[in-house]
Amino acid sequence: MSTKTTLSFSFEFYPPKTAEGAANLRVVHQQLKALKPDFFSVTFGAGGTTRDKTYETVLAIQNQGIAAAPHLSCIASTQENIADILQAYQQNGVAKIVALRGDLPSGMMSAGQFRYANELVNFIRQQTGDFFEIHVAAYPEVHPQAMNAAMDLQHFKRKVEAGANAAITQYFYNADSYFYFRDECEKHGITIPIIPGIMPITNYAQLFRFSQMCGADIPRWLYKRLEQLGDDREAISQFGIEVVSKLAQRLLENNAPGLHFYTMNQATPTLAIWQNLGL
Ligand SMILES: Cc1cc2nc3c(=O)[nH]c(=O)nc-3n(C[C@H](O)[C@H](O)[C@H](O)COP(=O)(O)OP(=O)(O)OC[C@H]3O[C@@H](n4cnc5c(N)ncnc54)[C@H](O)[C@@H]3O)c2cc1C
């Protein structure tokens, strides 16, 4: 297993919508900052709906001393719009970015000037050279819109060839899907770090809904046990921490290059998993 210093750890937030959400995030940020992650990342709403809030949240985090990486999705956007956002981040010394295609918000029909994330990565490199460290998304269980796994891998490779430095995966609960994907990448000459995305389990209904949307598989054994715990949030939380800690442990023992936690703006589950990992 690599040492902590050579691994990449990051925590993802979404930009809060309310004053109460913002106050909560300040506390969560302080708690997680104590773990000294490599960076925090902040999501970007479909079609740019959180553009300003993502920007504000990123700057607020970066000003507190640890790097922040904005997510930036290109669908439904123009080149001019993306160029403006890149310039604003560059001027503020924000040097990491998570580059995504994103999904069209419901009701919006036109993809805009970018169709896929590889075009965004290309554009970022054209506009800003090597300034940004670019992370892209990867899908060990295959992106839900992909024609098949082989095509999805080819499309992933295009993002790497366009200049991505690292990838963060969609979350998964089956470690073998990650190991298989990583082996396939290696066979296809993809050598960038592929960092597993870790989704703590706290709310079964929400997890089920998300997983249906993003194509993440909830294995039957996990689904059945969560179902059995019903509305008992505390029991779900404890069980979730145990399951996800074991998953993360197995990933690190098998040379995953780090972990990216989808925190859902909560500190407790991530802190508990972190402690179980002895990091
Ligand atoms: C780590 C991570 C962070 C995320 N953060 C956000 C966020 O902040 N905001 C948000 O809205 N969403 C976010 N998402 C979700 C993401 O936007 C969706 O999964 C989206 O559907 C795909 O984005 P992508 O960047 O992976 O797209 P792409 O890499 O462009 O792939 C999208 C689909 O198109 C296919 N494809 C790619 N290139 C081509 C091509 N040239 N020709 C034909 N098909 C092609 C791929 O196989 C895939 O099926 C995130 C996902 C991950 C894993």
Side-chain angles (χ1 to χ4, degrees):
M1 188 163 136
S2 320
T3 61
K4 181 172 180 288
T5 48
T6 62
L7 298 171
S8 164
F9 291 100
S10 48
F11 300 129
E12 178 175 311
F13 296 142
Y14 57 84
K17 290 197 185 86
T18 60
E20 196 187 346
N24 169 63
L25 186 59
R26 279 195 289 277
V27 175
V28 170
H29 172 235
Q30 284 307 318
Q31 287 173 293
L32 294 179
K33 194 179 154 201
L35 306 182
K36 300 193 172 68
D38 293 275
F39 66 96
F40 289 97
S41 83
V42 182
T43 63
F44 191 80
T49 44
T50 64
R51 176 184 157 150
D52 294 343
K53 290 212 177 306
T54 298
Y55 180 72
E56 284 162 24
T57 310
V58 162
L59 293 198
I61 291 172
Q62 178 111 339
N63 287 340
Q64 299 249 340
I66 289 187
H71 294 208
L72 177 59
S73 70
C74 59
I75 200 138
S77 203
T78 60
Q79 291 191 347
E80 194 185 348
N81 192 350
I82 297 285
D84 285 349
I85 295 176
L86 293 173
Q87 194 185 27
Y89 283 125
Q90 213 175 355
Q91 281 168 352
N92 283 283
V94 172
K96 289 179 193 286
I97 213 154
V98 182
L100 303 146
R101 181 198 70 174
D103 295 305
L104 269 183
S106 53
M108 204 180 269
M109 302 302 284
S110 162
Q113 287 180 294
F114 298 90
R115 289 165 311 156
Y116 298 107
N118 68 300
E119 296 169 9
L120 175 63
V121 177
N122 243 324
F123 185 74
I124 298 173
R125 288 288 176 237
Q126 260 173 29
Q127 294 284 308
T128 60
D130 286 338
F131 180 82
F132 287 103
E133 181 183 313
I134 304 178
H135 285 66
V136 290
Y139 300 86
E141 294 180 340
V142 183
H143 185 268
Q145 290 159 2
M147 209 183 295
N148 56 48
M151 293 294 284
D152 208 28
L153 186 65
Q154 285 307 320
H155 295 145
F156 176 55
K157 192 172 179 188
R158 284 178 172 210
K159 296 193 277 194
V160 178
E161 288 169 349
N165 301 99
I168 300 171
T169 76
Q170 184 57 276
Y171 66 87
F172 54 85
Y173 295 105
N174 178 352
D176 288 324
S177 70
Y178 171 80
F179 298 135
Y180 189 83
F181 179 73
R182 195 177 57 180
D183 290 350
E184 284 294 292
C185 286
E186 216 176 290
K187 278 188 214 157
H188 287 80
I190 299 169
T191 56
I192 60 167
I194 300 171
I195 300 161
I198 300 293
M199 177 70 94
I201 301 172
T202 53
N203 178 326
Y204 169 57
Q206 190 188 49
L207 180 70
F208 192 69
R209 207 175 54 245
F210 276 176
S211 302
Q212 280 193 319
M213 284 189 308
C214 69
D217 188 44
I218 306 185
R220 181 180 161 84
W221 67 271
L222 182 53
Y223 163 80
K224 284 289 174 192
R225 278 171 178 75
L226 285 168
E227 190 182 48
Q228 180 190 323
L229 296 175
D231 292 333
D232 187 342
R233 286 202 161 205
E234 181 51 34
I236 291 177
S237 235
Q238 287 311 314
F239 174 66
I241 286 166
E242 183 192 328
V243 169
V244 177
S245 299
K246 283 185 182 156
L247 170 70
Q249 178 80 38
R250 197 169 155 218
L251 292 166
L252 292 178
E253 280 169 1
N254 286 278
N255 299 320
L259 299 171
H260 175 83
F261 288 83
Y262 295 105
T263 71
M264 306 301 289
N265 292 9
Q266 294 177 40
T268 310
T270 297
L271 287 168
I273 295 165
W274 188 271
Q275 197 171 18
N276 287 343
L277 292 172
L279 291 166

